[in-house]
Amino acid sequence: MAETTRESMEYDVVIVGAGPAGLAAAIRLKQIDADLSVVVLEKGSEVGAHILSGAVLDTSGLDALLPDWQSMGAPVKTAVKRDNFYILGPAGQIRVPNWPMPPLMNNHGKYIVSMANVCRWMAETAEALGVEIFPGMAASQIVWDGDRVAGVVAGEFGKNPDGSIGDGYEPGMELLGKYVFLSEGVRGSLAKEVMAKFDLSKGHCPQKFGLGMKEIWEVDPAKHRPGTVTHTMGWPLGKNAGGGSFIYHGENNQVYVGFVVHLNYENPYLYPYMEFQRFKHHPVVADLLEGGKRVAYGARAISEGGWQSIPKLVAPGVALLGCSAGLVNVPRIKGNHNAMLSGIAAAEAAAAAIKAGRAGDELSAYETDLRAGPIAKDLKRVRNVKPLWSKLGLWSSLVLGGFDMWVANLTGWNPFGTLKHGKSDAQATGKAADFKPIDYPKPDGKLSFDRLTNVAFSFTNHEESQPCHLQLKDPTVPIAVNLPLYAEPAQRYCPAGVYEVIEDKDGPRFQINFQNCVHCKTCDIKDPSQNINWTTPQGGDGPNYPNM
């Protein structure tokens, strides 16, 4: 069978990605009109397998979508009871009181959740309404009708490592829709293609990103405090990078321990994963984790550009939702509520367009809603915190960013206007000659772990006989350019040990262990030469997160 010969199925709306945005859109479409045909495609082996979030959930999105979520049995049970914020030093800490912080930073009234489990529950709710959900179906190509997005190709399997057609090749199907929603998460391959074709970022700041790493620990019941939320800044990153941590006490004696490193760091010797591992040896963290057991690990990139970096959200036949649009509120460390709200807004715009007999045009009503509704209100108030942090560092940004947020919270006006982001995170990477290597302590195997050991706890798997989904635009660049100029930072910024520089008798060579990939997209973002293109592997591959 020729590779381009595919069967097709037609729907009113095709949704790529079964995260909170895509599932909210699917549910809302069926709430509006039960006769609308809606399909959700999920590249993970099951819904939730690729979902990783903190997460302290602001339920405003869920309230708008399913007001009766509590009586419906949503896995949203652990209300925040204690809310702590610390500035860490190497051996001590300063607790920052809650009272100076703007009300929007208050976590009381929010819930500690596993977003993987929330998405599984949302998927069950969607299916009960008649939504078709296909897990293990990676959407790998856009179907174009001229300059209009008409659908996607999903379910392609069986290519050989060199890209040729294998004996068991399956070409997949074309899933065609009057509208296509891309809710792939951060830096999705289809969203990136659409954004480039239609120049959707023109007139907007470059998107900024962080790398979020997370472990789930089962701790001593005597140390477990359900509903306790702790955030930290400062050590171990110091002046090397922006970022911080979260420690959330969830259900069943589990604690979610996470660490975020802003990817605009300059020093190419910085090793985000090892910063995370070192962080766990701080007395505040070590005392909690000692005697416990790490049961899961994962990582993903986080959009941090905020209001200034939201691209144009629509093009003919397509709309960007959730993290594909970059809707995370960085100071609050929350984006799931905005993801759901974006799904609701996109669904309402599409349902109205279809009812009016339209198809394949721009859903301008969605763009208008997002830029004038609750998402805009949430993001505008905090829009200057990230650029202040990037330009002035931690302490100045805490003071000035707090002032800007307070005034915006009280008046709706930001005293600093709208500050711009600078370079992209890739361009921010400095030359190795200008920095010294960082000596990281060896993991002890009790509180801290080497990367490959931890990757095993992401339950990641890729079929090895397929083409590598991490594509080098120029295979010579890692050794010829990145190694001498930047000490090849891919060895360090990848949280899964995918990239190695191996010394052979003929000299160094670059090795890609794509089987380890946890789909975080950091390589696509941070590579200083922008030489790595992350694409989706075949459906069902990648991490298999339990309750991340």
Side-chain angles (χ1 to χ4, degrees):
M1 179 182 289
E3 182 179 351
T4 53
T5 302
R6 296 185 172 97
E7 297 180 2
S8 64
M9 296 177 67
E10 295 187 3
Y11 293 87
D12 289 310
V13 180
V14 174
I15 300 172
V16 179
L23 292 169
I27 290 169
R28 185 68 187 124
L29 284 162
K30 283 294 194 176
Q31 287 174 336
I32 295 170
D33 186 347
D35 292 330
L36 288 172
S37 57
V38 181
V39 65
V40 179
L41 306 171
E42 168 54 42
K43 66 183 174 68
S45 60
E46 63 169 352
V47 173
H50 289 180
I51 297 293
L52 186 150
S53 186
V56 172
L57 180 65
D58 174 342
T59 61
S60 58
L62 199 55
D63 293 337
L65 180 69
L66 297 164
D68 298 326
W69 54 266
Q70 288 179 305
S71 63
M72 294 172 67
V76 181
K77 309 289 187 184
T78 307
V80 174
K81 297 177 182 177
R82 287 168 290 273
D83 195 1
N84 306 313
F85 181 55
Y86 294 101
I87 304 294
L88 299 185
Q93 66 279 342
I94 299 171
R95 186 172 190 271
V96 179
N98 291 7
W99 62 263
M101 299 185 190
L104 62 91
M105 299 294 290
N106 188 353
N107 284 303
H108 291 284
K110 314 301 186 294
Y111 291 81
I112 298 170
V113 300
S114 157
M115 280 309 298
N117 286 344
V118 171
C119 287
R120 292 182 178 108
W121 174 80
M122 291 178 70
E124 293 173 0
T125 304
E127 287 181 317
L129 293 171
V131 175
E132 295 181 39
I133 300 178
F134 298 145
M137 290 281 280
S140 54
Q141 298 178 41
I142 296 283
V143 176
W144 296 96
D145 180 7
D147 284 334
R148 172 178 88 85
V149 173
V152 298
V153 174
E156 186 178 30
F157 290 88
K159 284 187 175 181
N160 294 318
D162 63 0
S164 62
I165 303 303
D167 292 338
Y169 178 71
E170 298 178 18
M173 297 187 67
E174 291 185 350
L175 293 106
L176 309 177
K178 294 171 182 173
Y179 296 100
V180 175
F181 292 169
L182 298 180
S183 50
E184 301 171 286
V186 171
R187 198 80 164 192
S189 52
L190 300 188
K192 193 167 71 166
E193 178 183 349
V194 166
M195 289 174 68
K197 179 176 178 62
F198 295 106
D199 200 12
L200 298 184
S201 292
K202 183 179 180 180
H204 305 276
C205 287
Q207 185 59 264
K208 308 295 286 184
F209 298 93
L211 170 60
M213 298 158 284
K214 177 181 175 182
E215 294 173 356
I216 300 178
W217 281 72
E218 292 180 355
V219 300
D220 181 345
K223 300 178 182 179
H224 189 242
R225 301 289 184 270
T228 297
V229 167
T230 300
H231 294 108
T232 78
M233 300 168 73
W235 189 88
L237 290 173
K239 295 182 179 180
N240 283 324
S245 81
F246 60 85
I247 303 171
Y248 303 153
H249 290 242
E251 301 174 344
N252 303 318
N253 296 319
Q254 289 193 337
V255 174
Y256 305 151
V257 183
F259 197 80
V260 177
V261 177
H262 299 177
L263 288 176
N264 62 348
Y265 62 83
E266 295 182 357
N267 187 346
Y269 291 110
L270 188 83
Y271 195 159
Y273 175 82
M274 290 306 297
E275 296 286 349
F276 177 29
Q277 298 308 302
R278 181 159 62 171
F279 156 76
K280 289 183 292 176
H281 286 272
H282 191 280
V284 166
V285 190
D287 290 347
L288 171 65
L289 300 183
E290 283 176 353
K293 179 174 66 174
R294 169 236 24 214
V295 296
Y297 166 76
R300 58 161 287 188
I302 304 164
S303 62
E304 294 187 339
W307 180 252
Q308 298 91 315
S309 299
I310 298 175
K312 184 181 177 184
L313 298 166
V314 295
V318 66
L320 305 179
L321 279 58
C323 282
S324 292
L327 305 181
V328 171
N329 184 315
V330 172
R332 297 182 69 201
I333 322 178
K334 291 176 180 60
N336 291 304
H337 64 300
N338 285 338
M340 293 183 197
L341 291 170
S342 73
I344 293 169
E348 291 174 350
I354 292 168
K355 185 176 181 179
R358 293 160 44 203
D361 59 347
E362 293 192 2
L363 291 172
S364 56
Y366 166 54
E367 180 106 23
T368 300
D369 184 295
L370 191 144
R371 295 191 183 276
I375 295 174
K377 181 179 179 181
D378 186 55
L379 295 181
K380 280 184 174 181
R381 296 183 292 181
V382 303
R383 59 186 156 184
N384 291 322
V385 174
K386 170 66 174 176
L388 282 169
W389 195 342
S390 299
K391 291 178 173 65
L392 302 178
L394 172 60
W395 291 104
S396 295
S397 67
L398 280 176
V399 175
L400 297 175
F403 169 71
D404 194 66
M405 283 194 293
W406 256 115
V407 175
N409 186 75
L410 294 171
T411 69
W413 168 72
N414 290 78
F416 295 123
T418 302
L419 300 177
K420 302 297 184 184
H421 297 300
K423 308 170 185 175
S424 72
D425 293 333
Q427 293 167 337
T429 310
K431 301 292 197 298
D434 298 328
F435 297 90
K436 294 181 179 179
I438 301 172
D439 184 23
Y440 289 99
K442 184 178 179 180
D444 68 357
K446 297 177 182 178
L447 293 179
S448 51
F449 312 96
D450 66 80
R451 276 187 301 188
L452 294 185
T453 298
N454 238 357
V455 167
F457 285 81
S458 68
F459 314 104
T460 293
N461 182 63
H462 291 85
E463 170 57 53
E464 296 187 16
S465 63
Q466 66 183 304
C468 175
H469 64 281
L470 303 161
Q471 301 172 351
L472 299 181
K473 299 172 187 176
D474 182 344
T476 68
V477 162
I479 300 302
V481 178
N482 284 358
L483 186 59
L485 289 183
Y486 307 103
E488 186 43 275
Q491 303 172 88
R492 292 172 291 279
Y493 61 59
C494 174
V498 169
Y499 301 101
E500 293 182 273
V501 174
I502 296 176
E503 292 291 340
D504 285 340
K505 62 180 180 179
D506 298 325
R509 65 180 174 86
F510 192 62
Q511 179 163 305
I512 302 177
N513 306 305
F514 76 86
Q515 300 91 340
N516 293 357
C517 179
V518 294
H519 298 197
C520 74
K521 325 286 179 61
T522 302
C523 56
D524 194 298
I525 295 162
K526 186 59 178 172
D527 178 57
S529 299
Q530 285 294 274
N531 188 52
I532 301 174
N533 182 39
W534 191 96
T535 63
T536 184
Q538 66 186 29
D541 285 2
N544 284 280
Y545 295 137
N547 56 326
M548 282 291 197

